[in-house]
Amino acid sequence: MTVSPNPVSKTRSRLLAAAASVAVAGAIGFGAVTSGTLPVFAEAVRIEAPEAPGFADVVERVSPAVVSVRVKSKIESASSDSLDFFSGPRGFDNLPDDHPMKRFFRQFRGDGERHSRRERGPRAVSQGSGFFISEDGYLVTNNHVVEGGSAFTVVTDDGRELDAKLIGTDARTDLAVLKVEDGGKFTYVDFADDAKVRVGDWVVAVGNPFGLGGTVTAGIVSARGRDIGAGPYDDFIQIDAAVNRGNSGGPAFNLSGQVVGINTAIFSPSGGNVGIAFAIPASTAKSVVEDLMKDGTVQRGWLGVQIQPVSKEIAESLGLDDAKGALVADSQADGPAKEAGIVAGDIITKVNSKDVASPRELARMIAGFAPGSSVDVTVWRKGASETMKLTLGELPGADKLASNDGQSSPDDQASSLADLGLTVAPAEEGKGLVVTDVDPDSDAADRGIQAGDVITSVNSMEVNGAGDVTKAMAEAAKAGRKAVLVQVTRDDTNRFVALPVEKG
């Protein structure tokens, strides 16, 4: 009798065989297991990071509004005595006509002479970036990109080359407006509210560095209110995006596709990009561009004062708690400030009740008003605040400097102000004191006072003799001040210097 195998036993046998094969594979893959159990591994570290926003969507939307700006300028015809391949050495044409060298060069250069002397047409001299701000073809770039140009070509993101005309420029803010007039409609972008821009915000710079065509870089806002000495209204946004030559005039966008700044300058000790760039804030650009589109020029309010910073020593000498404001070094004779009674030695602390932190901020505030605007100016004078109303004039085309009477020769009778380290003598007509000698070890010498300087006031008090200086110093000491504010004139320019009351 034949007995059939038990199906349950067969199944059990197959499971045991499979388990054995797994055990062998485990030994091969992980090494011998002596304890009879598989090793336990620690779980790898994983961090669930938030999904980082990319820039592709922003770039895709704004790129059609960004253009390359090519600037051409007409060059002068070549001179017959210029140093080039065809005309020979300088002074060559002064040789006699039968001179062998002259005959040689004439024959050698042949038709090249006519080619080198004929007037050439416009040629490209610079290239930058720009962006459309209106559907009908207005675009913004830098003044230094278009400066000196006679013809302008805009290259769009899709490769079209369009002629443009210059609408207006503003050298003080380095801005310019061009207009493309081919009748088409253009993708354009808006200016952002840069007051909401914070240090650490992402920015995307789009432009045409090195003539490569549309190029995109990204970075963050690393500082605000930068003064780089580029102009009287410096208030740059500093970004750490890679901005290079050719990016000038190009926009820096926020992640909403709005222009937060116009790339203008870079910090580059070596000439290459080091990741520090400066952009004109959108608020500044917007107001300037609107004026340029309207009139082709920018009209700014004018106060008519020569100003300088308020140092801690100057503030202390005048009884100010903080070293803020703008110290008036002089009021121009035909300026609104002079007519309103603002004089040298006043410290402008507010305009329309808004605090003035520095001379540069005062310049920006006044420039923000239209000529003819009425403003309230608060000054600190003789230990108290005083507010006066005045009507702003129009800023002249060139910065005007106040002028004073010429320096006068000193009188024979010189007086010594040992406490200040100065020797002075009355000036002609009794206006001020001429410095005839300066102790090289004195505070006056350390602060740059030189022989020939004219001292016109001390602590806002006119001085016509050494006694006036001594009196002003005594009053300052009585008031508990450690320094006096000395007004000095040199080369028709005023400045103020704080000198310690006590010496030694």
Side-chain angles (χ1 to χ4, degrees):
M1 178 177 178
T2 304
V3 180
S4 301
N6 189 333
V8 176
S9 301
K10 289 184 177 180
T11 301
R12 183 176 301 171
S13 299
R14 286 196 297 268
L15 290 175
L16 290 173
S21 65
V22 169
V24 172
I28 296 174
F30 303 107
V33 180
T34 58
S35 63
T37 60
L38 293 175
V40 178
F41 295 97
E43 185 178 355
V45 174
R46 297 185 63 183
I47 300 174
E48 295 295 331
E51 185 178 352
F55 306 114
D57 291 340
V58 176
V59 173
E60 182 179 3
R61 297 293 300 274
V62 303
S63 289
V66 183
V67 299
S68 171
V69 178
R70 295 178 183 172
V71 182
K72 300 179 181 180
S73 177
K74 183 174 292 187
I75 62 173
E76 298 178 357
S77 59
S79 173
S80 61
D81 63 350
S82 61
L83 281 171
D84 59 37
F85 178 78
F86 293 106
S87 62
R90 186 176 300 276
F92 168 74
D93 284 342
N94 294 328
L95 295 174
D97 289 338
D98 59 350
H99 195 284
M101 290 297 296
K102 190 168 185 176
R103 290 199 306 270
F104 170 78
F105 277 108
R106 186 182 296 117
Q107 294 171 1
F108 180 79
R109 67 189 179 187
D111 292 339
E113 179 179 9
R114 291 190 297 274
H115 174 76
S116 65
R117 291 186 181 182
R118 72 170 182 260
E119 186 174 344
R120 302 176 186 176
R123 66 180 178 87
V125 294
S126 65
Q127 189 163 260
S129 304
F131 57 97
F132 286 112
I133 56 169
S134 72
E135 189 179 50
D136 58 348
Y138 282 97
L139 63 100
V140 179
T141 186
N142 280 144
N143 173 67
H144 76 259
V145 170
V146 302
E147 190 173 18
S150 60
F152 310 93
T153 302
V154 170
V155 183
T156 62
D157 184 57
D158 57 8
R160 289 180 296 159
E161 296 188 6
L162 307 171
D163 292 334
K165 73 173 184 178
L166 185 63
I167 299 301
T169 63
D170 182 49
R172 288 184 172 92
T173 55
D174 196 18
L175 290 169
V177 174
L178 297 171
K179 175 73 162 60
V180 175
E181 296 183 325
D182 76 335
K185 294 183 178 181
F186 301 94
T187 301
Y188 66 96
V189 290
D190 292 327
F191 288 108
D193 180 4
D194 62 73
K196 299 179 180 179
V197 174
R198 301 182 302 166
V199 173
D201 283 349
W202 280 108
V203 287
V204 180
V206 184
N208 183 37
F210 307 114
L212 296 173
T215 303
V216 180
T217 55
I220 63 169
V221 174
S222 53
R224 298 202 53 175
R226 288 298 198 208
D227 176 6
I228 63 174
Y233 310 119
D234 280 14
D235 186 27
F236 289 102
I237 296 173
Q238 181 179 319
I239 61 178
D240 73 347
V243 176
N244 291 286
R245 294 176 56 188
N247 270 119
S248 289
F253 294 102
N254 59 21
L255 297 188
S256 298
Q258 295 175 308
V259 179
V260 298
I262 300 175
N263 300 318
T264 296
I266 63 173
F267 176 75
S268 178
S270 61
N273 174 265
V274 295
I276 299 177
F278 303 97
I280 301 168
S283 57
T284 299
K286 184 177 181 179
S287 62
V288 170
V289 166
E290 288 175 351
D291 286 345
L292 292 177
M293 292 173 62
K294 181 180 179 181
D295 302 317
T297 59
V298 180
Q299 293 183 332
R300 294 183 171 93
W302 178 56
L303 191 57
V305 290
Q306 179 185 332
I307 52 181
Q308 70 179 69
V310 179
S311 66
K312 291 183 179 180
E313 291 178 328
I314 290 175
E316 203 284 330
S317 69
L318 295 178
L320 271 175
D321 293 333
D322 299 314
K324 296 180 179 179
L327 175 60
V328 178
D330 199 9
S331 294
Q332 294 185 226
D334 57 347
K338 186 80 169 181
E339 294 179 2
I342 296 177
V343 298
D346 289 344
I347 295 182
I348 298 176
T349 57
K350 295 182 180 181
V351 174
N352 283 355
S353 300
K354 184 177 180 180
D355 290 339
V356 175
S358 66
R360 192 166 296 276
E361 182 173 355
L362 174 64
R364 288 196 298 265
M365 292 171 66
I366 296 300
F369 293 101
S373 299
S374 178
V375 297
D376 293 327
V377 178
T378 302
V379 301
W380 180 263
R381 177 187 297 173
K382 296 181 179 179
S385 291
E386 181 178 342
T387 301
M388 51 197 72
K389 185 178 292 291
L390 55 83
T391 301
L392 297 176
E394 182 177 352
L395 183 67
D399 293 335
K400 298 172 67 177
L401 297 177
S403 60
N404 287 327
D405 295 334
Q407 296 180 2
S408 305
S409 59
D411 192 86
D412 291 338
Q413 299 295 326
S415 300
S416 176
L417 297 176
D419 287 345
L420 297 179
L422 300 173
T423 301
V424 298
E428 289 183 357
E429 301 178 0
K431 295 181 179 180
L433 297 172
V434 177
V435 177
T436 59
D437 189 33
V438 182
D439 182 352
D441 297 325
S442 67
D443 293 299
D446 291 341
R447 287 159 176 76
I449 296 181
Q450 303 173 2
D453 289 347
V454 178
I455 298 175
T456 56
S457 72
V458 176
N459 278 4
S460 300
M461 297 175 56
E462 292 186 2
V463 295
N464 299 314
D468 295 334
V469 179
T470 303
K471 180 181 178 181
M473 293 172 61
E475 291 182 359
K478 184 177 179 181
R481 297 175 184 170
K482 299 178 181 179
V484 291
L485 190 65
V486 179
Q487 181 180 1
V488 179
T489 300
R490 181 191 301 166
D491 297 330
D492 295 336
T493 301
N494 282 334
R495 70 186 183 100
F496 285 86
V497 177
L499 295 178
V501 173
E502 298 179 354
K503 178 179 174 66

